[in-house]
Amino acid sequence: MFLASSMMDTNYLLEKSLDAESLRKKVISDNIANVDTPHFKRREVNFESELNRVLNENKKNLDRLPALMTDEKHIPFFIDRDLRSVNSRVNLDYTTSYKNDGNNVDIEKEMVDSAKNMMRYNALVSGLNHNYRVIKMVLRTTA
């Protein structure tokens, strides 16, 4: 019962977001480390757009006409995608080139992205800590 609650979905999304931010930190560090490497192409992590796509698809399915399923073998018209299926993807940026040697890493952009990443990570940790404090408080009052 509790595992299927919206609070556990929120915890799961916070944990997946923390995983994405950790991966993003590694990718940004790799980009910064290769700022002077010829022909190096920067990478970036794509998680939020994947999550938005799944949430929007599930929202559209609520507005659609459901299939009349009179037998357990019937197949529904639309199946909601599980939020647990959303994963981070690392994309290469082949479209730009800032230097004559083919490298497209802009150190200033990477430093700004690193600062944003750190702030998002800290906010996600605070949100997850808050949820765990609420769970702990509920367990104390019911015991």
Side-chain angles (χ1 to χ4, degrees):
M1 168 102 178
F2 181 69
L3 293 176
S5 69
S6 63
M7 183 168 193
M8 290 311 292
D9 286 343
T10 302
N11 271 359
Y12 180 77
L13 285 176
L14 285 170
E15 290 170 5
K16 284 293 267 193
S17 298
L18 281 170
D19 291 343
E21 293 303 324
S22 295
L23 177 62
R24 188 172 281 132
K25 181 65 176 172
K26 290 176 187 174
V27 167
I28 291 170
S29 298
D30 188 46
N31 289 345
I32 291 172
N34 289 293
V35 70
D36 292 326
T37 304
H39 305 291
F40 181 82
K41 298 298 181 186
R42 71 180 295 276
R43 297 180 303 158
E44 55 189 17
V45 175
N46 183 0
F47 174 72
E48 290 81 8
S49 62
E50 294 289 321
L51 180 62
N52 281 334
R53 188 172 61 192
V54 169
L55 291 174
N56 288 335
E57 284 176 12
N58 290 348
K59 189 189 302 183
K60 286 180 186 176
N61 288 345
L62 292 175
D63 296 337
R64 294 181 176 160
L65 185 65
L68 179 61
M69 296 176 26
T70 57
D71 190 81
E72 63 186 30
K73 295 179 184 175
H74 287 171
I75 300 172
F77 291 150
F78 309 103
I79 299 173
D80 284 343
R81 282 186 54 193
D82 188 14
L83 291 176
R84 299 180 196 287
S85 68
V86 178
N87 291 316
S88 303
R89 289 190 337 199
V90 178
N91 298 327
L92 283 169
D93 180 12
Y94 283 109
T95 60
T96 59
S97 182
Y98 293 120
K99 301 177 187 174
N100 290 335
D101 64 359
N103 188 315
N104 66 350
V105 177
D106 181 11
I107 190 68
E108 292 171 1
K109 181 184 181 328
E110 299 300 327
M111 295 306 284
V112 168
D113 287 347
S114 179
K116 285 181 186 177
N117 181 329
M118 186 174 54
M119 287 187 278
R120 278 192 306 260
Y121 187 88
N122 289 338
L124 290 168
V125 167
S126 296
L128 199 56
N129 284 338
H130 172 73
N131 282 357
Y132 285 134
R133 279 194 302 271
V134 169
I135 291 171
K136 192 175 179 179
M137 182 177 59
V138 168
L139 289 176
R140 276 191 206 150
T141 59
T142 58

